[in-house]
């Protein structure tokens, strides 16, 4: 246990290559979304064989039909499984975490939409090439304890998965040491999970969506609270998500997390706006019943949204997407990219202010984040896209970069203040 509370720097991944469509496909997979806008990706039935393994493939048994994400290819629009290279499995930002005694360092994706803490490990087969990844070796940690009989498995919409065994160890996060924290050690990774630079994921959702069986385990923040690693009146963490686009700004695009305290400089003298959250699905979910596009206010009765640091884009309902891009000169829906695009050289003053409600108060997307990635032919892929069949919005980095976000676990509420950025750099 440690009482040292520090900013935990979130580092831009220099090897990350932004791709709007790949990021969108990743989200279709992660949240099991059925697309409602036309494009190459769709959800449809696919037979999967259940039987014995022989000669590298299954035989015998029965074929089970499942609804999975697929891709249309060729002129005859035949469908295939989604290749690993078609989705963005890398992370734009990574954060250092130390595990074990002596500490082993890992660069993890901090994700408020997930409840697992998993890492690459020495339990992976030799056929999985580390390729620069750091592998946790439990044999080299004097404080590691195996959790016999426990296992974990994350499965996405295309049936790609990561799975393995479970143990406990000391985990150091931003100056705090969480003792006996459950660590999920990867012993199997689908190809799509192998392609990113990061060494795993640290879930910051609520523990009811953790995948460990037969009994779920507590998340690092839940353990921080139980072990009193953070003050009773500050059972929270915060996210200040800067942008690499702002490297020449006064804050140099700083990006960090805090655990157990509010960063006064990030607050900038503002009083946070808070709203209760519904964590029944494990997410940081709140009422978001209006949106604004410039001076136009749109009623969205009964709508909700989640704040998700593991999502690069913002996903909202189709009608709102259409209205947003109708307000941008030259914007259009591009079926090839299965998303909205607009001209790369659109002047800042021509871009609308787009705001989303957080329990009664709206917070805007910074204009620079309306543009996410190059889409070719002088166009950029928009940072706001269709949520498809999903019943709630996902407000990821596109929106989170415009606020200082407060995830108040102790009081079951979400808070924020405006992140002030006087210079907008919308071009990609």
């Amino acid at each position: 246990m440690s009482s040292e509370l520090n900013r935990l720097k979130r580092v831009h991944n220099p090897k990350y290559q932004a791709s709007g469509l790949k990021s969108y496909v990743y989200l279709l997979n992660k949240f099991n979304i059925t697309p409602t806008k036309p494009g190459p990706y769709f959800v449809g039935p696919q037979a999967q064989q259940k039987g014995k393994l022989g000669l590298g493939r299954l035989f015998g048994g029965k074929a089970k039909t499942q609804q999975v994400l697929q891709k249309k290819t060729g002129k005859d629009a035949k469908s295939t499984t989604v290749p690993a290279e078609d989705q963005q499995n890398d992370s734009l930002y990574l954060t250092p975490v130390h595990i074990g005694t002596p500490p082993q360092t890992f660069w993890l994706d901090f994700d408020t939409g997930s409840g697992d803490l998993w890492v690459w490990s020495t339990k992976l087969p030799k056929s999985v090439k580390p390729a620069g990844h750091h592998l946790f070796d439990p044999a080299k940690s004097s404080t590691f304890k195996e959790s016999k009989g426990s296992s974990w498995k994350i499965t996405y919409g295309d049936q790609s998965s990561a799975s393995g065994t479970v143990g406990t160890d000391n985990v150091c996060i931003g100056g705090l040491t969480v003792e006996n924290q459950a660590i999920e050690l990867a012993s199997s990774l689908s190809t799509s999970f192998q392609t990113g630079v990061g060494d795993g994921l640290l879930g910051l959702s609520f523990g009811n969506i953790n995948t460990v069986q037969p009994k779920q385990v507590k998340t690092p923040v839940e353990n921080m609270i139980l072990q009193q690693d953070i003050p009773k009146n500050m059972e929270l963490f915060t996210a200040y998500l800067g942008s690499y686009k702002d490297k020449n700004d006064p804050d140099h695009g700083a990006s960090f997390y805090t655990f157990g305290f509010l960063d006064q400089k990030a607050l900038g003298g503002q009083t946070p706006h808070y709203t209760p959250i519904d964590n029944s699905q494990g997410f940081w979910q709140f009422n978001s019943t209006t949106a604004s596009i410039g001076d136009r206010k749109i009623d969205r009765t009964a709508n909700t949204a989640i704040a998700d640091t593991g999502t690069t884009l913002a996903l909202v309902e189709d009608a709102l997407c259409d209205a947003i891009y109708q307000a941008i000169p030259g914007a259009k829906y591009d079926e090839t990219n299965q998303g909205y695009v607009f001209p790369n050289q659109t002047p800042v003053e021509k871009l609308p202010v787009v705001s989303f409600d957080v329990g009664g108060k709206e917070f805007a997307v910074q204009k620079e984040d309306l543009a996410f990635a190059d889409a070719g032919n002088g166009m950029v892929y928009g940072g706001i896209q269709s949520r498809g069949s999903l019943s709630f919005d996902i407000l990821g980095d596109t929106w989170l970069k415009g606020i200082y976000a407060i995830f108040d676990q102790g009081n079951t509420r979400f808070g924020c203040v405006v992140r002030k950025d006087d210079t907008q750099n919308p071009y990609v």
Side-chain angles (χ1 to χ4, degrees), residues 81-222:
T81 55
V82 180
E85 61 269 20
D86 275 27
Q87 52 188 308
Q88 182 59 271
N89 294 293
D90 205 356
S91 300
L92 179 56
Y93 291 91
L94 296 167
T95 306
V97 173
H98 310 289
I99 302 175
T101 308
Q104 302 173 43
T105 302
F106 303 89
W107 291 88
L108 304 182
D109 180 13
F110 279 31
D111 186 357
T112 57
S114 299
D116 292 84
L117 194 177
W118 72 265
V119 293
W120 282 60
S121 81
T122 52
K123 292 181 176 291
L124 287 164
K126 292 182 179 179
S127 58
V128 176
K129 305 300 182 186
H133 287 282
H134 302 91
L135 274 63
F136 179 67
D137 187 348
K140 292 183 179 179
S141 174
S142 62
T143 45
F144 178 83
K145 297 176 184 177
E146 183 182 358
S147 300
K148 293 183 178 179
S150 292
S151 62
W152 64 280
K153 184 175 184 179
I154 297 171
T155 304
Y156 285 167
D158 63 349
Q159 301 306 300
S160 62
S161 64
S163 60
T165 59
V166 184
T168 60
D169 211 330
N170 295 340
V171 177
C172 184
I173 304 170
L176 295 171
T177 298
V178 184
E179 298 176 343
N180 299 311
Q181 172 61 46
I183 311 294
E184 299 163 35
L185 282 62
S187 59
S188 176
L189 293 174
S190 294
T191 305
S192 58
F193 281 86
Q194 300 176 31
T195 55
V197 172
D199 302 318
L201 179 144
L202 189 145
L204 293 170
S205 71
F206 291 85
N208 54 341
I209 55 173
N210 173 264
T211 69
V212 172
Q213 296 291 336
K215 183 180 179 180
Q216 290 177 316
V217 298
K218 296 191 179 302
T219 67
V221 175
E222 288 172 336

Side-chain angles (χ1 to χ4, degrees), residues 346-376:
T346 302
V348 172
E349 61 270 18
K350 295 289 187 180
L351 295 173
V353 175
V354 179
S355 304
F356 300 113
D357 174 43
V358 179
K361 184 177 181 179
E362 291 187 0
F363 290 83
V365 174
Q366 293 189 101
K367 287 188 176 183
E368 69 181 16
D369 294 311
L370 291 173
F372 176 66
D374 180 43

Side-chain angles (χ1 to χ4, degrees), residues 368-385:
E368 69 181 16
D369 294 311
L370 291 173
F372 176 66
D374 180 43
N377 300 314
M379 307 292 276
V380 294
Y381 193 87
I384 303 171
Q385 298 293 340

Side-chain angles (χ1 to χ4, degrees), residues 10 26-27 30-31 92-93 110-113 239 241-242 257 284 286 305-316 356 363-366 369-370 372 383-385 387 390 392-403 405 407 414:
R10 188 173 181 249
Y26 170 79
L27 294 176
K30 178 180 178 181
F31 289 97
L92 179 56
Y93 291 91
F110 279 31
D111 186 357
T112 57
L241 308 186
Y257 291 94
W284 291 87
F286 49 82
I306 68 170
D308 184 14
T309 60
T311 293
T312 51
L313 305 171
L315 303 187
V316 301
F356 300 113
F363 290 83
V365 174
Q366 293 189 101
D369 294 311
L370 291 173
F372 176 66
I384 303 171
Q385 298 293 340
R387 73 186 193 190
L390 207 61
F392 53 83
D393 298 342
I394 304 176
L395 299 181
D397 288 6
T398 289
W399 177 75
L400 288 168
K401 289 176 182 177
I403 64 171
F407 299 84
F414 175 77

Side-chain angles (χ1 to χ4, degrees), residues 20-87:
L21 182 54
K22 288 184 178 183
S23 293
Y24 188 58
V25 173
Y26 170 79
L27 294 176
L28 296 179
N29 258 328
K30 178 180 178 181
F31 289 97
N32 292 315
I33 297 171
T34 298
T36 51
K37 301 290 287 185
Y41 299 93
F42 69 101
V43 171
Q46 186 179 84
Q48 294 194 331
Q49 193 72 24
K50 300 289 183 180
K52 296 180 179 180
L53 185 64
L55 299 177
R57 62 187 179 91
L58 291 168
F59 68 93
K62 296 181 179 180
K64 181 181 179 181
T65 300
Q66 291 183 301
Q67 296 288 320
V68 301
L69 188 68
Q70 300 177 57
K71 180 183 182 181
K72 290 180 284 190
T73 59
K75 293 181 180 179
D76 54 1
K78 287 185 177 180
S79 62
T80 66
T81 55
V82 180
E85 61 269 20
D86 275 27
Q87 52 188 308

